[in-house]
Amino acid sequence: MNSNFIAAFMALWVLLAAGLHLALLSMFGSPSQVLEQQDPRVLNGERPSAAFGWSVLQNITSKPHPYYSQENLRVRSVLIEQISKIVQDYDTWNCTVPNPFTVQLENASVVVDRNALYFYQSNNILVRVNGSMPQSLLLSAHFDSVPESMGATDDGLGIAAMLSTLQGVARFGCQHPVQHSLIFNFNNAEEDGLLGAASFVKHPWFQDVKAVYNFDSRGASGKDRSLLYRTNSFPLVQKVLQSAVRPHASALSGFIFQFIQSDTDFSVYAVGGKPGVDYAFYERAYLYHTELDDIAHASPESLQYASDNMFKSALAVITDPDLLQNVQTETPEIINSPGTLLKPGGYVIGDRFGAIPIIMTQNLYLVSIGVVLVLSLATPFARYFTDGKRTFYTLYDRSKPVLKAYFVIIGTLFVSILLIALQGWTKSLINNGSVYGRPELAVASLFCFVFGIYLWIGYLSKRFSRKPKASSPSTDSLVEGETEALLLETTNPLIYESALFAFWTSMLALSFWSEFSRTPYLYFFLDFSICALVAILVCLILQSCVKKHRDTWEKSKIWKYAVKLHDHGQPYIHLVIAIIPVFLTWDILDLLLAFAPPFTVQGLPDFATDIVLGIFICGMLLPLLPLAREHDMRISGSIALLAWLSIWITLAVLFPFTTERPFKFVLRESLDLDHPSYVGHYILMPAVKSGEYIAQKLQENGLQMSKLIVDSSAGFLVQLSWISTTFPTIAQNTNVTQLMQVNYTLAKAPTETAVSTSVVGPSGCRIFRFAFNRHVTGFKADSPEWQSDVPPSRNTMEAFVFLRSDQNQPQVNVSFQMTKNLTMTIGCEMPMHEQSNYYDIFQAAKPSWMLNGFNSVYDFEIFKTVSLSV
């Protein structure tokens, strides 16, 4: 058969695997419908209505609504109104079950003691659907946003899904009494340190909570699925996934999430001893916490998807008579860097194209690995005992070519990954944001690269290997025990199939003994091992049958094709079977692509992302190696490498950031009040060679610079700084959010004394920050708005005080025990929506911050933090 035709078949095989993944996902897993409130399934309590939640979402995401803003209070009032309407409408539905709702509006002064002290006024909205038993399931999402985002997906969709679920539970409970209670926590101030969840932990209802369903986001939903990515209870996650309409879960994502500098309310509840599951939208992470997290980048279909899963899972849990009475957390370990992150549970959780849940305990997973390992050892002995001549040398001769092929596979992987790292590193020197900006092109380039490398390595390994002294027209000679032919004929397809099976089982063995993989993130090794084993068994059965019936089958009109398949088509048998784990692995590849932008933002070099993606692609294309070695495909390999080179050049040259895939960066403007005419600016962003482009964009938005300085000494991150002769302004028509912060540092105190004073900030101040160079004792803060209490022995180096009022002179009363040589910095943050004379504002506030006991002011700066996407 023509080598180029075979290469085309191999490329088609790759595309077919991708097509199967997309087709099955579209058929079973993708959100596709939205139910109206008058749909019979909604009225009967069978399904929730996303149309209801979507109408509320449009209302609450028209503007940014951080915790301290007036818009946040408006959003809260909208939610209270909608919840009250559901509670009141319940009495008009001719229900057989008495009204089960209890609503509480929190208005409590709370102090959260974590890595710092947080003083704030909690105003969560709590709704309880009372069951016949006190044990409760908690549903939780937050309704605040960051200052620069509309919060449509983070976490507006979670709030809308909870409203739709609340309405659906009300419809269901109208005629069906539930056994266990259901608590909804529409919480606030999550973006300021998970404060709303921390407040609820102190609420009396928290004692009745036996399990938690938390919903958040790491991106913008579009028409994508939400993902169950963390859990600390196997019985709970089993119930949730089995009852979900369209299950989507991944154990690997929980492992990845540990390295992202972000956290959710789920950790607060887990630290409080509660088992639970954590859901999130994760696609389009480059829109996370930007102005593009708006209603235009969400969809009612995704809301229906999230609402269906939340509603069905919640009903399954609260109607189960035993689950909430017996469930408990199984992974209490906490990682304290960064923040408080929960270790993912040691379970296999996943799904097959959004339709079939995968749920396996760690022990069952390890037993499955053990069974495959035993079968892998038994396979060569089975062939040995079926032969007439049974000697040690027969077994040795049969194993040697397989072992040789095994090391060829290992060497191929090593060389491929090394070359992937080299091409990625070279590309990152030119454009370190290429994978961030165009991940689909990056994946296409890696597929072309690995495909071309495999074809060339297959040719070269055959070209430089020792040629056999004897050859056989078919594999029957292997069965007949011709040792020399078996030793030398390494192109026999069964040998490479056996070597591939040996490779995947060796990976399983490593995962069996490796402490890293004992928590089963690498369950896809099992898929490849089982399919490789099936391919070998099929080939062995075919060989045995052809050996016995060759003469008869060659004369048959039908069975003659079995003989042809035996003589020429055994590598294709492996390819057909191997397509199953390959298209299943596409889900993992999608997941890695979705998590790539957060890592890029945190400073992960582009070539590191190339390496991770490349490793998976190398594994997915391994089944092609037997055919690559059997045929001379240098021309096809060269074409594949030329295709890679053209894509590589495109990725290296094109500017990575677009309107729909922006890069969010922070500009900080520093003003020295003693020399107000001098302003220094700096910005941190990926080390793409586009500093002039960024400078141009900033100038278009009103930043006038007289000198541009590029400093790449920070490694991956580049510092662009410049000097201006006037205090710059931001153009009014640009999509930015300005967050003002003033830092006022007082000199070292000469004596030890108690401090009790009032600090008055400038108009609009919403967050006071107090930072010390060493621990202080008995820190306490309150304001005219509310009073707080904290044990006087509490030591801290940092404290935040949140205010809600629009006072012209916001005030905070603080007291603490001052130690000798103590330095204190007072900070104040506020949103600024209009151009102001910042110099005058903070000069007016300066006198009120001269605290008794400190010598003098030695530093006083203003920072204007601007989130700008390009």
Side-chain angles (χ1 to χ4, degrees), residues 188-208:
N188 206 352
E190 190 269 354
E191 301 290 2
D192 293 295
L194 316 179
L195 302 183
S199 171
F200 181 68
V201 169
K202 302 174 183 291
H203 193 278
W205 286 2
F206 188 71
Q207 302 305 314
D208 294 332

Side-chain angles (χ1 to χ4, degrees), residues 252 524 585 588-589 592 611-620:
L252 180 63
F524 55 91
T585 309
I588 299 176
L589 202 60
L592 292 173
I611 293 173
V612 174
L613 296 175
I615 289 173
F616 274 86
I617 292 172
C618 285
M620 293 170 70

Side-chain angles (χ1 to χ4, degrees), residues 576-613:
V576 170
I577 296 175
I579 202 170
I580 298 173
V582 169
F583 85 76
L584 292 177
T585 309
W586 272 98
D587 252 345
I588 299 176
L589 202 60
D590 283 345
L591 194 71
L592 292 173
L593 279 177
F595 278 99
F599 287 122
T600 302
V601 172
Q602 290 176 201
L604 184 71
D606 233 26
F607 75 87
T609 308
D610 271 341
I611 293 173
V612 174
L613 296 175

Side-chain angles (χ1 to χ4, degrees), residues 430-433 653-657 685-697 708 710 718 720 870:
I430 304 172
N431 184 351
N432 203 23
V653 171
L654 289 181
F655 185 68
F657 311 127
M685 64 173 302
V688 293
K689 291 196 173 180
S690 54
E692 291 76 10
Y693 175 87
I694 298 298
Q696 176 186 346
K697 285 292 183 183
L708 175 66
V710 179
V718 163
L720 303 177
V870 295

Side-chain angles (χ1 to χ4, degrees), residues 549-565:
H549 306 289
R550 175 180 284 274
D551 294 338
T552 304
W553 284 9
E554 284 179 341
K555 299 175 183 178
S556 171
K557 292 183 178 180
I558 298 176
W559 291 106
K560 67 179 181 180
Y561 295 105
V563 177
K564 291 183 178 179
L565 180 64

